[in-house]
PDB file of all heavy atoms in Angstrom:
ATOM      1  N   LYS B  96     -18.976  37.274 -26.878  1.00 98.00           N
ATOM      2  CA  LYS B  96     -17.661  37.733 -26.414  1.00 98.00           C
ATOM      3  C   LYS B  96     -16.880  36.523 -25.942  1.00 98.00           C
ATOM      4  O   LYS B  96     -17.454  35.501 -25.551  1.00 98.00           O
ATOM      5  CB  LYS B  96     -17.821  38.705 -25.226  1.00 98.00           C
ATOM      6  CG  LYS B  96     -18.184  40.108 -25.626  1.00 98.00           C
ATOM      7  CD  LYS B  96     -18.213  41.000 -24.412  1.00 98.00           C
ATOM      8  CE  LYS B  96     -18.594  42.408 -24.828  1.00 98.00           C
ATOM      9  NZ  LYS B  96     -18.974  43.216 -23.684  1.00 98.00           N
ATOM     10  N   HIS B  97     -15.543  36.688 -25.941  1.00 98.00           N
ATOM     11  CA  HIS B  97     -14.727  35.621 -25.363  1.00 98.00           C
ATOM     12  C   HIS B  97     -14.983  35.526 -23.865  1.00 98.00           C
ATOM     13  O   HIS B  97     -15.212  36.538 -23.192  1.00 98.00           O
ATOM     14  CB  HIS B  97     -13.233  35.889 -25.626  1.00 98.00           C
ATOM     15  CG  HIS B  97     -12.858  35.637 -27.054  1.00 98.00           C
ATOM     16  ND1 HIS B  97     -12.876  34.391 -27.618  1.00 98.00           N
ATOM     17  CD2 HIS B  97     -12.464  36.506 -28.046  1.00 98.00           C
ATOM     18  CE1 HIS B  97     -12.514  34.470 -28.898  1.00 98.00           C
ATOM     19  NE2 HIS B  97     -12.263  35.759 -29.177  1.00 98.00           N
ATOM     20  N   PHE B  98     -14.917  34.302 -23.370  1.00 98.00           N
ATOM     21  CA  PHE B  98     -15.233  34.039 -21.959  1.00 98.00           C
ATOM     22  C   PHE B  98     -14.380  34.905 -21.034  1.00 98.00           C
ATOM     23  O   PHE B  98     -14.866  35.471 -20.053  1.00 98.00           O
ATOM     24  CB  PHE B  98     -15.009  32.544 -21.660  1.00 98.00           C
ATOM     25  CG  PHE B  98     -15.414  32.123 -20.286  1.00 98.00           C
ATOM     26  CD1 PHE B  98     -16.740  31.826 -19.990  1.00 98.00           C
ATOM     27  CD2 PHE B  98     -14.477  32.016 -19.264  1.00 98.00           C
ATOM     28  CE1 PHE B  98     -17.137  31.438 -18.724  1.00 98.00           C
ATOM     29  CE2 PHE B  98     -14.854  31.621 -17.985  1.00 98.00           C
ATOM     30  CZ  PHE B  98     -16.188  31.335 -17.720  1.00 98.00           C
ATOM     31  N   ALA B  99     -13.074  35.039 -21.360  1.00 98.00           N
ATOM     32  CA  ALA B  99     -12.146  35.697 -20.445  1.00 98.00           C
ATOM     33  C   ALA B  99     -12.425  37.186 -20.271  1.00 98.00           C
ATOM     34  O   ALA B  99     -12.004  37.779 -19.268  1.00 98.00           O
ATOM     35  CB  ALA B  99     -10.711  35.477 -20.907  1.00 98.00           C
ATOM     36  N   VAL B 100     -13.096  37.790 -21.235  1.00 98.00           N
ATOM     37  CA  VAL B 100     -13.319  39.244 -21.104  1.00 98.00           C
ATOM     38  C   VAL B 100     -14.670  39.560 -20.446  1.00 98.00           C
ATOM     39  O   VAL B 100     -14.980  40.714 -20.190  1.00 98.00           O
ATOM     40  CB  VAL B 100     -13.216  39.970 -22.474  1.00 98.00           C
ATOM     41  CG1 VAL B 100     -11.833  39.745 -23.094  1.00 98.00           C
ATOM     42  CG2 VAL B 100     -14.330  39.527 -23.420  1.00 98.00           C
ATOM     43  N   LEU B 101     -15.447  38.535 -20.170  1.00 98.00           N
ATOM     44  CA  LEU B 101     -16.747  38.784 -19.531  1.00 98.00           C
ATOM     45  C   LEU B 101     -16.547  39.159 -18.067  1.00 98.00           C
ATOM     46  O   LEU B 101     -15.632  38.669 -17.408  1.00 98.00           O
ATOM     47  CB  LEU B 101     -17.624  37.523 -19.608  1.00 98.00           C
ATOM     48  CG  LEU B 101     -18.067  37.046 -20.986  1.00 98.00           C
ATOM     49  CD1 LEU B 101     -18.795  35.705 -20.852  1.00 98.00           C
ATOM     50  CD2 LEU B 101     -18.972  38.077 -21.634  1.00 98.00           C
ATOM     51  N   PRO B 102     -17.408  39.995 -17.542  1.00 98.00           N
ATOM     52  CA  PRO B 102     -17.376  40.255 -16.096  1.00 98.00           C
ATOM     53  C   PRO B 102     -17.723  38.970 -15.335  1.00 98.00           C
ATOM     54  O   PRO B 102     -18.360  38.066 -15.889  1.00 98.00           O
ATOM     55  CB  PRO B 102     -18.454  41.317 -15.874  1.00 98.00           C
ATOM     56  CG  PRO B 102     -18.985  41.671 -17.213  1.00 98.00           C
ATOM     57  CD  PRO B 102     -18.463  40.731 -18.227  1.00 98.00           C
ATOM     58  N   ALA B 103     -17.334  38.959 -14.081  1.00 97.00           N
ATOM     59  CA  ALA B 103     -17.456  37.727 -13.284  1.00 97.00           C
ATOM     60  C   ALA B 103     -18.888  37.174 -13.296  1.00 97.00           C
ATOM     61  O   ALA B 103     -19.093  35.969 -13.458  1.00 97.00           O
ATOM     62  CB  ALA B 103     -16.999  37.988 -11.857  1.00 97.00           C
ATOM     63  N   ALA B 104     -19.872  38.028 -13.137  1.00 97.00           N
ATOM     64  CA  ALA B 104     -21.258  37.551 -13.060  1.00 97.00           C
ATOM     65  C   ALA B 104     -21.684  36.894 -14.370  1.00 97.00           C
ATOM     66  O   ALA B 104     -22.396  35.883 -14.384  1.00 97.00           O
ATOM     67  CB  ALA B 104     -22.191  38.710 -12.717  1.00 97.00           C
ATOM     68  N   GLU B 105     -21.233  37.454 -15.493  1.00 98.00           N
ATOM     69  CA  GLU B 105     -21.603  36.863 -16.785  1.00 98.00           C
ATOM     70  C   GLU B 105     -20.852  35.563 -17.040  1.00 98.00           C
ATOM     71  O   GLU B 105     -21.383  34.631 -17.657  1.00 98.00           O
ATOM     72  CB  GLU B 105     -21.358  37.871 -17.912  1.00 98.00           C
ATOM     73  CG  GLU B 105     -22.351  39.025 -17.871  1.00 98.00           C
ATOM     74  CD  GLU B 105     -22.261  39.917 -19.093  1.00 98.00           C
ATOM     75  OE1 GLU B 105     -21.969  39.407 -20.199  1.00 98.00           O
ATOM     76  OE2 GLU B 105     -22.469  41.134 -18.934  1.00 98.00           O
ATOM     77  N   ARG B 106     -19.606  35.502 -16.576  1.00 98.00           N
ATOM     78  CA  ARG B 106     -18.863  34.247 -16.698  1.00 98.00           C
ATOM     79  C   ARG B 106     -19.602  33.147 -15.934  1.00 98.00           C
ATOM     80  O   ARG B 106     -19.762  32.032 -16.427  1.00 98.00           O
ATOM     81  CB  ARG B 106     -17.439  34.412 -16.128  1.00 98.00           C
ATOM     82  CG  ARG B 106     -16.504  35.137 -17.072  1.00 98.00           C
ATOM     83  CD  ARG B 106     -15.057  34.934 -16.624  1.00 98.00           C
ATOM     84  NE  ARG B 106     -14.567  36.041 -15.831  1.00 98.00           N
ATOM     85  CZ  ARG B 106     -14.019  35.922 -14.633  1.00 98.00           C
ATOM     86  NH1 ARG B 106     -13.936  34.735 -14.056  1.00 98.00           N
ATOM     87  NH2 ARG B 106     -13.575  36.963 -13.999  1.00 98.00           N
ATOM     88  N   ASP B 107     -20.041  33.502 -14.742  1.00 98.00           N
ATOM     89  CA  ASP B 107     -20.788  32.531 -13.928  1.00 98.00           C
ATOM     90  C   ASP B 107     -22.055  32.095 -14.666  1.00 98.00           C
ATOM     91  O   ASP B 107     -22.388  30.909 -14.721  1.00 98.00           O
ATOM     92  CB  ASP B 107     -21.133  33.158 -12.572  1.00 98.00           C
ATOM     93  CG  ASP B 107     -21.738  32.134 -11.622  1.00 98.00           C
ATOM     94  OD1 ASP B 107     -22.956  31.872 -11.723  1.00 98.00           O
ATOM     95  OD2 ASP B 107     -20.993  31.570 -10.797  1.00 98.00           O
ATOM     96  N   ALA B 108     -22.742  33.068 -15.283  1.00 98.00           N
ATOM     97  CA  ALA B 108     -23.998  32.754 -15.982  1.00 98.00           C
ATOM     98  C   ALA B 108     -23.758  31.852 -17.184  1.00 98.00           C
ATOM     99  O   ALA B 108     -24.601  31.016 -17.531  1.00 98.00           O
ATOM    100  CB  ALA B 108     -24.684  34.050 -16.414  1.00 98.00           C
ATOM    101  N   VAL B 109     -22.611  31.998 -17.833  1.00 98.00           N
ATOM    102  CA  VAL B 109     -22.289  31.140 -18.980  1.00 98.00           C
ATOM    103  C   VAL B 109     -21.843  29.754 -18.504  1.00 98.00           C
ATOM    104  O   VAL B 109     -22.272  28.722 -19.034  1.00 98.00           O
ATOM    105  CB  VAL B 109     -21.183  31.785 -19.851  1.00 98.00           C
ATOM    106  CG1 VAL B 109     -20.673  30.780 -20.895  1.00 98.00           C
ATOM    107  CG2 VAL B 109     -21.705  33.046 -20.536  1.00 98.00           C
ATOM    108  N   LEU B 110     -20.967  29.744 -17.497  1.00 98.00           N
ATOM    109  CA  LEU B 110     -20.347  28.463 -17.110  1.00 98.00           C
ATOM    110  C   LEU B 110     -21.307  27.543 -16.359  1.00 98.00           C
ATOM    111  O   LEU B 110     -21.217  26.327 -16.458  1.00 98.00           O
ATOM    112  CB  LEU B 110     -19.079  28.716 -16.278  1.00 98.00           C
ATOM    113  CG  LEU B 110     -18.180  27.487 -16.069  1.00 98.00           C
ATOM    114  CD1 LEU B 110     -17.744  26.880 -17.408  1.00 98.00           C
ATOM    115  CD2 LEU B 110     -16.952  27.830 -15.237  1.00 98.00           C
ATOM    116  N   ARG B 111     -22.236  28.123 -15.605  1.00 98.00           N
ATOM    117  CA  ARG B 111     -23.112  27.302 -14.759  1.00 98.00           C
ATOM    118  C   ARG B 111     -23.916  26.260 -15.561  1.00 98.00           C
ATOM    119  O   ARG B 111     -23.835  25.065 -15.276  1.00 98.00           O
ATOM    120  CB  ARG B 111     -24.029  28.215 -13.936  1.00 98.00           C
ATOM    121  CG  ARG B 111     -24.567  27.600 -12.675  1.00 98.00           C
ATOM    122  CD  ARG B 111     -25.159  28.661 -11.761  1.00 98.00           C
ATOM    123  NE  ARG B 111     -24.152  29.348 -10.971  1.00 98.00           N
ATOM    124  CZ  ARG B 111     -23.664  28.883  -9.827  1.00 98.00           C
ATOM    125  NH1 ARG B 111     -24.096  27.750  -9.316  1.00 98.00           N
ATOM    126  NH2 ARG B 111     -22.740  29.555  -9.168  1.00 98.00           N
ATOM    127  N   PRO B 112     -24.643  26.676 -16.596  1.00 98.00           N
ATOM    128  CA  PRO B 112     -25.359  25.643 -17.380  1.00 98.00           C
ATOM    129  C   PRO B 112     -24.404  24.727 -18.156  1.00 98.00           C
ATOM    130  O   PRO B 112     -24.673  23.535 -18.321  1.00 98.00           O
ATOM    131  CB  PRO B 112     -26.226  26.462 -18.342  1.00 98.00           C
ATOM    132  CG  PRO B 112     -25.671  27.843 -18.347  1.00 98.00           C
ATOM    133  CD  PRO B 112     -24.998  28.047 -17.018  1.00 98.00           C
ATOM    134  N   HIS B 113     -23.269  25.289 -18.578  1.00 98.00           N
ATOM    135  CA  HIS B 113     -22.278  24.478 -19.286  1.00 98.00           C
ATOM    136  C   HIS B 113     -21.756  23.375 -18.359  1.00 98.00           C
ATOM    137  O   HIS B 113     -21.631  22.208 -18.755  1.00 98.00           O
ATOM    138  CB  HIS B 113     -21.120  25.386 -19.743  1.00 98.00           C
ATOM    139  CG  HIS B 113     -20.116  24.688 -20.599  1.00 98.00           C
ATOM    140  ND1 HIS B 113     -20.235  24.599 -21.964  1.00 98.00           N
ATOM    141  CD2 HIS B 113     -18.968  24.037 -20.277  1.00 98.00           C
ATOM    142  CE1 HIS B 113     -19.209  23.915 -22.447  1.00 98.00           C
ATOM    143  NE2 HIS B 113     -18.420  23.560 -21.439  1.00 98.00           N
ATOM    144  N   ASP B 114     -21.469  23.741 -17.110  1.00 98.00           N
ATOM    145  CA  ASP B 114     -20.975  22.813 -16.080  1.00 98.00           C
ATOM    146  C   ASP B 114     -21.994  21.686 -15.858  1.00 98.00           C
ATOM    147  O   ASP B 114     -21.648  20.504 -15.857  1.00 98.00           O
ATOM    148  CB  ASP B 114     -20.746  23.647 -14.800  1.00 98.00           C
ATOM    149  CG  ASP B 114     -20.428  22.847 -13.563  1.00 98.00           C
ATOM    150  OD1 ASP B 114     -19.230  22.542 -13.352  1.00 98.00           O
ATOM    151  OD2 ASP B 114     -21.354  22.535 -12.784  1.00 98.00           O
ATOM    152  N   ALA B 115     -23.262  22.084 -15.699  1.00 98.00           N
ATOM    153  CA  ALA B 115     -24.303  21.075 -15.427  1.00 98.00           C
ATOM    154  C   ALA B 115     -24.451  20.104 -16.599  1.00 98.00           C
ATOM    155  O   ALA B 115     -24.563  18.887 -16.396  1.00 98.00           O
ATOM    156  CB  ALA B 115     -25.636  21.773 -15.139  1.00 98.00           C
ATOM    157  N   ALA B 116     -24.395  20.635 -17.819  1.00 98.00           N
ATOM    158  CA  ALA B 116     -24.537  19.766 -18.993  1.00 98.00           C
ATOM    159  C   ALA B 116     -23.315  18.875 -19.156  1.00 98.00           C
ATOM    160  O   ALA B 116     -23.431  17.686 -19.471  1.00 98.00           O
ATOM    161  CB  ALA B 116     -24.753  20.619 -20.244  1.00 98.00           C
ATOM    162  N   ALA B 117     -22.135  19.450 -18.931  1.00 98.00           N
ATOM    163  CA  ALA B 117     -20.884  18.696 -19.120  1.00 98.00           C
ATOM    164  C   ALA B 117     -20.785  17.533 -18.139  1.00 98.00           C
ATOM    165  O   ALA B 117     -20.198  16.497 -18.442  1.00 98.00           O
ATOM    166  CB  ALA B 117     -19.688  19.630 -18.954  1.00 98.00           C
ATOM    167  N   LEU B 118     -21.347  17.721 -16.941  1.00 98.00           N
ATOM    168  CA  LEU B 118     -21.220  16.696 -15.896  1.00 98.00           C
ATOM    169  C   LEU B 118     -22.389  15.716 -15.869  1.00 98.00           C
ATOM    170  O   LEU B 118     -22.466  14.874 -14.971  1.00 98.00           O
ATOM    171  CB  LEU B 118     -21.049  17.374 -14.524  1.00 98.00           C
ATOM    172  CG  LEU B 118     -19.780  18.239 -14.387  1.00 98.00           C
ATOM    173  CD1 LEU B 118     -19.734  18.907 -13.019  1.00 98.00           C
ATOM    174  CD2 LEU B 118     -18.514  17.426 -14.620  1.00 98.00           C
ATOM    175  N   GLN B 119     -23.263  15.822 -16.856  1.00 97.00           N
ATOM    176  CA  GLN B 119     -24.344  14.823 -16.978  1.00 97.00           C
ATOM    177  C   GLN B 119     -23.737  13.432 -17.078  1.00 97.00           C
ATOM    178  O   GLN B 119     -22.848  13.210 -17.902  1.00 97.00           O
ATOM    179  CB  GLN B 119     -25.154  15.083 -18.264  1.00 97.00           C
ATOM    180  CG  GLN B 119     -26.137  16.224 -18.179  1.00 97.00           C
ATOM    181  CD  GLN B 119     -27.401  15.855 -17.430  1.00 97.00           C
ATOM    182  OE1 GLN B 119     -27.805  14.696 -17.448  1.00 97.00           O
ATOM    183  NE2 GLN B 119     -28.002  16.821 -16.756  1.00 97.00           N
ATOM    184  N   LYS B 120     -24.215  12.542 -16.263  1.00 96.00           N
ATOM    185  CA  LYS B 120     -23.672  11.177 -16.297  1.00 96.00           C
ATOM    186  C   LYS B 120     -24.092  10.474 -17.589  1.00 96.00           C
ATOM    187  O   LYS B 120     -25.199  10.659 -18.071  1.00 96.00           O
ATOM    188  CB  LYS B 120     -24.183  10.384 -15.104  1.00 96.00           C
ATOM    189  CG  LYS B 120     -23.543  10.815 -13.802  1.00 96.00           C
ATOM    190  CD  LYS B 120     -23.846   9.833 -12.680  1.00 96.00           C
ATOM    191  CE  LYS B 120     -23.037  10.116 -11.442  1.00 96.00           C
ATOM    192  NZ  LYS B 120     -23.172  11.482 -10.906  1.00 96.00           N
ATOM    193  N   VAL B 121     -23.182   9.685 -18.140  1.00 95.00           N
ATOM    194  CA  VAL B 121     -23.509   8.854 -19.307  1.00 95.00           C
ATOM    195  C   VAL B 121     -23.151   7.413 -18.978  1.00 95.00           C
ATOM    196  O   VAL B 121     -22.404   7.149 -18.025  1.00 95.00           O
ATOM    197  CB  VAL B 121     -22.750   9.319 -20.580  1.00 95.00           C
ATOM    198  CG1 VAL B 121     -23.144  10.746 -20.950  1.00 95.00           C
ATOM    199  CG2 VAL B 121     -21.241   9.200 -20.390  1.00 95.00           C
ATOM    200  N   ALA B 122     -23.663   6.489 -19.765  1.00 93.00           N
ATOM    201  CA  ALA B 122     -23.388   5.067 -19.509  1.00 93.00           C
ATOM    202  C   ALA B 122     -21.919   4.769 -19.791  1.00 93.00           C
ATOM    203  O   ALA B 122     -21.353   5.305 -20.748  1.00 93.00           O
ATOM    204  CB  ALA B 122     -24.271   4.214 -20.410  1.00 93.00           C
ATOM    205  N   PRO B 123     -21.285   3.941 -18.951  1.00 90.00           N
ATOM    206  CA  PRO B 123     -19.889   3.577 -19.226  1.00 90.00           C
ATOM    207  C   PRO B 123     -19.796   2.740 -20.498  1.00 90.00           C
ATOM    208  O   PRO B 123     -20.760   2.044 -20.847  1.00 90.00           O
ATOM    209  CB  PRO B 123     -19.475   2.748 -18.006  1.00 90.00           C
ATOM    210  CG  PRO B 123     -20.692   2.498 -17.218  1.00 90.00           C
ATOM    211  CD  PRO B 123     -21.816   3.317 -17.755  1.00 90.00           C
ATOM    212  N   PRO B 124     -18.676   2.822 -21.202  1.00 87.00           N
ATOM    213  CA  PRO B 124     -18.521   1.972 -22.387  1.00 87.00           C
ATOM    214  C   PRO B 124     -18.536   0.504 -21.983  1.00 87.00           C
ATOM    215  O   PRO B 124     -18.242   0.172 -20.837  1.00 87.00           O
ATOM    216  CB  PRO B 124     -17.152   2.375 -22.944  1.00 87.00           C
ATOM    217  CG  PRO B 124     -16.458   3.090 -21.837  1.00 87.00           C
ATOM    218  CD  PRO B 124     -17.516   3.644 -20.934  1.00 87.00           C
ATOM    219  N   PRO B 125     -18.900  -0.383 -22.924  1.00 85.00           N
ATOM    220  CA  PRO B 125     -19.063  -1.806 -22.561  1.00 85.00           C
ATOM    221  C   PRO B 125     -17.798  -2.439 -21.982  1.00 85.00           C
ATOM    222  O   PRO B 125     -17.878  -3.340 -21.157  1.00 85.00           O
ATOM    223  CB  PRO B 125     -19.436  -2.474 -23.886  1.00 85.00           C
ATOM    224  CG  PRO B 125     -19.516  -1.418 -24.921  1.00 85.00           C
ATOM    225  CD  PRO B 125     -19.209  -0.096 -24.326  1.00 85.00           C
ATOM    226  N   ASN B 126     -16.611  -1.956 -22.395  1.00 83.00           N
ATOM    227  CA  ASN B 126     -15.377  -2.574 -21.912  1.00 83.00           C
ATOM    228  C   ASN B 126     -14.761  -1.813 -20.737  1.00 83.00           C
ATOM    229  O   ASN B 126     -13.578  -1.983 -20.419  1.00 83.00           O
ATOM    230  CB  ASN B 126     -14.359  -2.672 -23.054  1.00 83.00           C
ATOM    231  CG  ASN B 126     -14.056  -1.297 -23.636  1.00 83.00           C
ATOM    232  OD1 ASN B 126     -14.771  -0.334 -23.331  1.00 83.00           O
ATOM    233  ND2 ASN B 126     -13.018  -1.196 -24.451  1.00 83.00           N
ATOM    234  N   ALA B 127     -15.543  -0.957 -20.079  1.00 81.00           N
ATOM    235  CA  ALA B 127     -15.009  -0.113 -19.007  1.00 81.00           C
ATOM    236  C   ALA B 127     -14.500  -0.971 -17.843  1.00 81.00           C
ATOM    237  O   ALA B 127     -15.133  -1.966 -17.491  1.00 81.00           O
ATOM    238  CB  ALA B 127     -16.094   0.823 -18.502  1.00 81.00           C
ATOM    239  N   PRO B 128     -13.342  -0.602 -17.268  1.00 74.00           N
ATOM    240  CA  PRO B 128     -12.864  -1.357 -16.111  1.00 74.00           C
ATOM    241  C   PRO B 128     -13.801  -1.191 -14.919  1.00 74.00           C
ATOM    242  O   PRO B 128     -14.461  -0.160 -14.775  1.00 74.00           O
ATOM    243  CB  PRO B 128     -11.490  -0.729 -15.810  1.00 74.00           C
ATOM    244  CG  PRO B 128     -11.524   0.610 -16.458  1.00 74.00           C
ATOM    245  CD  PRO B 128     -12.486   0.529 -17.602  1.00 74.00           C
ATOM    246  N   LYS B 129     -13.851  -2.250 -14.083  1.00 69.00           N
ATOM    247  CA  LYS B 129     -14.735  -2.170 -12.923  1.00 69.00           C
ATOM    248  C   LYS B 129     -14.133  -1.238 -11.881  1.00 69.00           C
ATOM    249  O   LYS B 129     -12.930  -1.290 -11.627  1.00 69.00           O
ATOM    250  CB  LYS B 129     -14.937  -3.567 -12.346  1.00 69.00           C
ATOM    251  CG  LYS B 129     -15.782  -4.417 -13.264  1.00 69.00           C
ATOM    252  CD  LYS B 129     -16.120  -5.756 -12.687  1.00 69.00           C
ATOM    253  CE  LYS B 129     -17.063  -6.480 -13.648  1.00 69.00           C
ATOM    254  NZ  LYS B 129     -17.106  -7.904 -13.446  1.00 69.00           N
ATOM    255  N   PRO B 130     -14.955  -0.382 -11.285  1.00 65.00           N
ATOM    256  CA  PRO B 130     -14.406   0.562 -10.319  1.00 65.00           C
ATOM    257  C   PRO B 130     -14.073  -0.125  -9.000  1.00 65.00           C
ATOM    258  O   PRO B 130     -14.611  -1.175  -8.682  1.00 65.00           O
ATOM    259  CB  PRO B 130     -15.548   1.560 -10.116  1.00 65.00           C
ATOM    260  CG  PRO B 130     -16.774   0.785 -10.427  1.00 65.00           C
ATOM    261  CD  PRO B 130     -16.393  -0.251 -11.449  1.00 65.00           C
ATOM    262  N   ASN B 131     -13.119   0.417  -8.270  1.00 61.00           N
ATOM    263  CA  ASN B 131     -12.917  -0.013  -6.891  1.00 61.00           C
ATOM    264  C   ASN B 131     -12.737   1.225  -6.034  1.00 61.00           C
ATOM    265  O   ASN B 131     -12.774   2.359  -6.536  1.00 61.00           O
ATOM    266  CB  ASN B 131     -11.742  -0.987  -6.760  1.00 61.00           C
ATOM    267  CG  ASN B 131     -10.417  -0.333  -7.044  1.00 61.00           C
ATOM    268  OD1 ASN B 131     -10.088   0.714  -6.484  1.00 61.00           O
ATOM    269  ND2 ASN B 131      -9.646  -0.928  -7.951  1.00 61.00           N
TER     270      ASN B 131
END
Side-chain angles (χ1 to χ4, degrees):
Chain B
K96 280 184 181 165
H97 286 293
F98 185 82
V100 301
L101 295 174
E105 290 189 34
R106 282 195 263 127
D107 188 278
V109 170
L110 193 57
R111 203 166 278 276
H113 186 88
D114 172 86
L118 298 178
Q119 282 282 330
K120 287 192 170 56
V121 298
N126 58 348
K129 290 185 176 160
N131 68 51

